[in-house]
């Protein structure tokens, strides 16, 4: 899901306009439920690859764990850049590349991870909730370079270090400290050179 969407709370703080585009009907239904009662919410069932981005329309675009499923990340970044107003922000998370690198899927709740074929960019098929899912592996460097090539100013990068207070058990917290699960970027649209 993407749009100016960090949580239900931000919709209240920035009660200007919330738009969500999602190719998944299930996720759209979940968004409708989570955003019930927040003013200025507009949801659209659409694919990022085919969505008609309006130029210089948004102040903020947020994507949560979707972009590693899309083949043409550069084109999506170009579209997002063009749809932001100058100074607008693009904040997104993807599965960390160390998780998407191996062609062999670990499946289930892992206790160890295989980091292999890291520099071989491209599709990986993984079993997730009893279905085969196609992800597109990119390195951290490739994400960074594409964002720079699209003229984004990269403000922040995070590997989402686990915070113990977010876990109900110390065992799960320690398991999640073994490898980064997510990669987050915060970018700003600057004027093109």
């Amino acid at each position: 899901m993407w749009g100016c969407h960090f949580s239900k709370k931000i919709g209240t703080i920035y009660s200007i306009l919330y738009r969500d585009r999602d190719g998944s009907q299930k996720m759209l239904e979940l968004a409708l439920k989570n955003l019930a009662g927040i003013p200025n919410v507009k949801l659209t069932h659409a694919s990022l690859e085919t969505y008609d981005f309006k130029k210089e329309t948004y102040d903020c675009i947020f994507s949560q764990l979707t972009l590693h499923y899309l083949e043409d990340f550069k084109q999506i970044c170009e579209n997002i850049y063009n749809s932001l107003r100058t100074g607008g922000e693009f904040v997104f998370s993807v599965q960390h590349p160390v998780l998407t690198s191996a062609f062999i899927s670990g499946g289930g709740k892992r206790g160890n991870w295989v980091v292999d074929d890291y520099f071989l960019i491209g599709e990986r098929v993984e079993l997730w909730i009893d279905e085969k899912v196609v992800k597109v592996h990119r390195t951290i460097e490739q994400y960074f370079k594409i964002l720079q090539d699209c003229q984004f100013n990269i403000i922040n990068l995070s590997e989402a270090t686990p915070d113990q207070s977010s876990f109900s058990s110390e065992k799960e917290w320690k398991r999640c400290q073994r490898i980064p699960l997510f990669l987050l970027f915060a970018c700003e649209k600057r004027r093109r050179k």
Side-chain angles (χ1 to χ4, degrees):
M1 292 193 315
W2 71 275
C4 191
H5 164 70
F6 298 99
S7 68
K8 200 170 185 178
K9 187 175 182 180
I10 203 159
T12 306
I13 296 168
Y14 296 107
S15 187
I16 301 164
L17 176 64
Y18 170 93
R19 284 208 170 159
D20 189 341
R21 281 151 201 60
D22 202 299
S24 163
Q25 187 61 39
K26 287 182 185 177
M27 292 305 289
L28 191 67
E29 289 167 8
L30 181 61
L32 281 167
K33 179 181 172 188
N34 288 338
L35 297 169
I38 296 176
N40 299 318
V41 172
K42 186 184 258 186
L43 301 175
T44 305
H45 187 221
S47 163
L48 282 174
E49 295 97 335
T50 59
Y51 180 72
D52 180 24
F53 288 84
K54 304 294 183 215
K55 294 204 180 290
E56 299 191 6
T57 303
Y58 303 105
D59 295 312
C60 174
I61 293 178
F62 178 81
S63 173
Q64 184 176 353
L65 298 173
T66 57
L67 299 174
H68 54 271
Y69 295 103
L70 305 178
E71 189 173 340
D72 197 347
F73 179 66
K74 185 169 186 173
Q75 185 61 58
I76 294 295
C77 287
E78 286 284 344
N79 293 342
I80 288 171
Y81 183 92
N82 291 331
S83 70
L84 286 169
R85 294 182 180 109
T86 300
E89 294 180 0
F90 175 34
V91 179
F92 70 94
S93 64
V94 291
Q95 258 193 333
H96 199 287
V98 298
L99 293 178
T100 61
S101 68
F103 282 95
I104 300 168
S105 173
K109 197 173 223 180
R110 298 179 185 182
N112 58 48
W113 290 263
V114 174
V115 178
D116 199 6
D117 299 317
Y118 185 81
F119 293 102
L120 297 177
I121 307 307
E123 289 186 356
R124 306 294 196 268
V125 178
E126 183 176 305
L127 193 63
W128 189 66
I129 311 178
D130 299 326
E131 288 187 34
K132 287 186 179 181
V133 176
V134 177
K135 298 178 183 179
V136 180
H137 169 69
R138 297 173 187 88
T139 64
I140 295 171
E141 178 181 10
Q142 189 178 30
Y143 280 112
F144 196 90
K145 177 110 176 70
I146 289 171
L147 291 165
Q148 283 189 320
D149 288 349
C150 292
Q151 300 298 308
F152 277 107
N153 180 30
I154 299 164
I155 300 167
N156 203 351
L157 177 141
S158 172
E159 293 182 298
T161 305
D163 179 358
Q164 187 173 8
S165 66
S166 300
F167 292 87
S168 57
S169 78
E170 186 172 346
K171 182 180 177 183
E172 183 63 13
W173 171 63
K174 285 183 177 181
R175 186 183 79 82
C176 289
Q177 284 186 308
R178 297 184 60 206
I179 194 167
L181 301 177
F182 308 107
L183 180 63
L184 296 87
F185 281 91
C187 310
E188 181 182 49
K189 178 179 180 172
R190 58 183 176 202
R191 293 200 189 280
R192 296 217 182 222
K193 295 177 184 176

